[in-house]
Amino acid sequence: MTSANGFSDSQESDLVNEEDMKVLEKSIGCIPSYWIQNIIDDKIEENYDLEQQYLEENKPIKDEDEEQYYREIDSTPLPSRIPVKEEFPGRHNFQVSLGNQDSSKHWIYSQILKKVFINMEETLPLRLKWDPPEGGLLLRTAMVFSLDQYAGDPVRRCHNHTAPNNSSNRDVNLRVIKHVVRCTDSTSMYEERNEHLSVVTPLHRPQPGSQYVPVCFKFLCKNSCPSGMNRRPTELIFTLENSEKTVLGRRRLSVRVCSCPKRDKKKEEAEVLKTQSNVKKIKLNVPVGKKMMPSCDTHVFSVQLNVVGKENYLSVLKYAYDIMAGQAARTGQFEFFKPYMDDILRKTP
């Protein structure tokens, strides 16, 4: 049953117990209905305050270090799951170049392939330039598959290298372990969008006297790992962004993470050179049409002769026919000579 104040009898008894009610009735005889309502309202407000206090005290505590290390991305799906790879410098003339290769034996660059070959867990130094060199910008680095048939697949580390007992995973956030690419800048943030992984690094102005900003990366899985990249060619996509994540420029760099950079570089270059050589041979073996000889005199002359004897007359016609037939064969101008040769045949008795 519901009372006039909107609460059931059981709800009112929970708010004002029977003993309190009896004490009140005994002391003042009867209790007006609006008093009861005020008592109930006070109890409701007291219970609400206690509940809010409980929620505040038991509110989950965020790990500030973890939040700085890994930033969550909203779950709103993007228009496409395939990363854009087309290069453009943008209005800042965004440029990415390699550091001094002579200072390291663990990576090598191929001018023929425009590709870097590097050992796993070794540092790849890069140099970034943009003009004007303003601060407050971001560098987003993502590893993607080069072939179009795999463009929508995310690049992740293999099962072996993501194992908790792997030495490269010590004291590393669990959600960062699956990233193949890691930046040595401690302020970098690791993001995931539509299952694709990227690392975002805050950029500062170049140091006085310098034209570029150095950024270094490491790779924590090999291209040959079966359960990871599985021998599929990969490349890095660098995008220059502002604080609102608007893309201001984009660059790309082919990368292969392997055990022997020099050997793999030599092997891939040999394959490319062999393919180019085969293409040249095919072009040389393509059948070429018959060469046209230099054109002869094409002026047409009309000759009227009186020839004595039928045999002499036929000999003259045959001689004229043979001369033009020979020239047509040598020059390839059959269509030009054909009407005149047919005219000789018509005059032959």
Side-chain angles (χ1 to χ4, degrees):
M1 180 176 178
T2 304
S3 62
N5 54 30
F7 291 88
S8 65
D9 295 337
S10 59
Q11 288 175 323
E12 287 186 354
S13 62
D14 290 337
L15 295 172
V16 183
N17 56 44
E18 294 181 0
E19 293 182 1
D20 293 339
M21 189 68 68
K22 289 179 180 180
V23 172
L24 289 171
E25 289 179 351
K26 185 177 180 181
S27 61
I28 62 176
C30 65
I31 302 176
S33 60
Y34 67 89
W35 283 21
I36 297 176
Q37 182 63 43
N38 291 339
I39 294 171
I40 292 173
D41 291 343
D42 292 341
K43 287 290 185 179
I44 293 174
E45 186 175 355
E46 181 181 353
N47 290 343
Y48 177 79
D49 293 338
L50 290 173
E51 182 180 358
Q52 288 297 109
Q53 182 180 355
Y54 175 82
L55 293 175
E56 289 294 331
E57 292 176 352
N58 291 274
K59 186 177 181 179
I61 300 174
K62 288 185 177 180
D63 188 344
E64 295 181 359
D65 295 336
E66 178 179 335
E67 185 176 358
Q68 181 181 2
Y69 192 62
Y70 188 95
R71 186 169 62 189
E72 292 286 354
I73 300 301
D74 56 27
S75 58
T76 305
L78 295 180
S80 174
R81 291 171 56 88
I82 301 177
V84 179
K85 298 189 289 186
E86 283 74 14
E87 285 190 301
F88 76 99
R91 61 184 178 88
H92 289 280
N93 192 25
F94 178 51
Q95 303 292 333
V96 178
S97 60
L98 293 168
N100 188 5
Q101 182 177 327
D102 297 334
S103 61
S104 176
K105 299 180 180 179
H106 302 289
W107 66 274
I108 189 170
Y109 179 72
S110 169
Q111 290 286 352
I112 297 175
L113 306 172
K114 307 299 181 185
K115 187 174 184 178
V116 171
F117 296 81
I118 187 170
N119 289 126
M120 191 177 74
E121 298 189 40
E122 295 298 335
T123 302
L124 177 66
L126 297 177
R127 298 173 178 178
L128 309 180
K129 290 179 64 177
W130 64 95
D131 186 37
E134 61 186 61
L137 300 181
L138 303 171
L139 174 70
R140 183 182 300 276
T141 306
M143 199 171 203
V144 300
F145 291 114
S146 303
L147 300 178
D148 291 339
Q149 58 264 41
Y150 304 118
D153 297 343
V155 177
R156 298 171 181 266
R157 297 177 74 194
C158 68
H159 300 320
N160 183 38
H161 288 127
T162 54
N165 58 354
N166 192 292
S167 59
S168 63
N169 300 327
R170 293 175 183 171
D171 302 325
V172 177
N173 187 289
L174 292 176
R175 292 174 293 185
V176 179
I177 289 178
K178 56 188 173 183
H179 288 251
V180 175
V181 183
R182 294 184 193 170
C183 184
T184 58
D185 190 328
S186 59
T187 63
S188 297
M189 296 164 288
Y190 296 79
E191 298 186 355
E192 179 173 356
R193 179 179 295 172
N194 279 346
E195 298 184 1
H196 289 277
L197 307 175
S198 62
V199 52
V200 179
T201 306
L203 296 177
H204 306 282
R205 291 187 178 90
Q207 293 293 327
S210 178
Q211 299 293 325
Y212 60 86
V213 173
V215 181
C216 297
F217 294 93
K218 289 186 177 183
F219 304 90
L220 281 299
C221 201
K222 296 180 182 178
N223 280 76
S224 58
C225 292
S227 60
M229 291 176 273
N230 197 18
R231 300 188 180 279
R232 290 174 287 183
T234 53
E235 57 188 339
L236 292 175
I237 305 297
F238 304 100
T239 54
L240 183 68
E241 303 179 1
N242 58 19
S243 58
E244 298 177 352
K245 298 184 180 179
T246 302
V247 178
L248 306 176
R250 185 184 300 111
R251 291 299 180 183
R252 58 196 290 188
L253 175 66
S254 296
V255 174
R256 177 178 176 83
V257 188
C258 52
S259 300
C260 188
K262 289 185 178 180
R263 179 198 63 192
D264 290 355
K265 170 181 174 289
K266 185 177 180 180
K267 180 180 178 181
E268 288 194 22
E269 286 181 342
E271 291 175 354
V272 170
L273 293 176
K274 182 179 179 180
T275 302
Q276 293 176 350
S277 177
N278 291 338
V279 170
K280 289 181 180 179
K281 288 181 181 179
I282 292 173
K283 288 182 178 180
L284 292 174
N285 293 332
V286 172
V288 182
K290 189 174 181 179
K291 269 193 172 183
M292 301 288 290
M293 296 294 291
S295 59
C296 61
D297 186 2
T298 56
H299 290 88
V300 179
F301 298 91
S302 179
V303 179
Q304 292 182 353
L305 295 174
N306 294 321
V307 181
V308 179
K310 184 177 181 180
E311 290 186 2
N312 294 336
Y313 173 71
L314 293 175
S315 296
V316 171
L317 294 179
K318 184 177 183 302
Y319 182 72
Y321 183 93
D322 291 342
I323 288 177
M324 287 191 288
Q327 288 182 337
R330 288 192 301 272
T331 62
Q333 301 180 25
F334 294 100
E335 296 298 325
F336 177 81
F337 285 98
K338 188 176 184 302
Y340 304 101
M341 294 167 65
D342 290 342
D343 185 58
I344 293 176
L345 292 177
R346 284 194 296 270
K347 293 178 179 179
T348 303

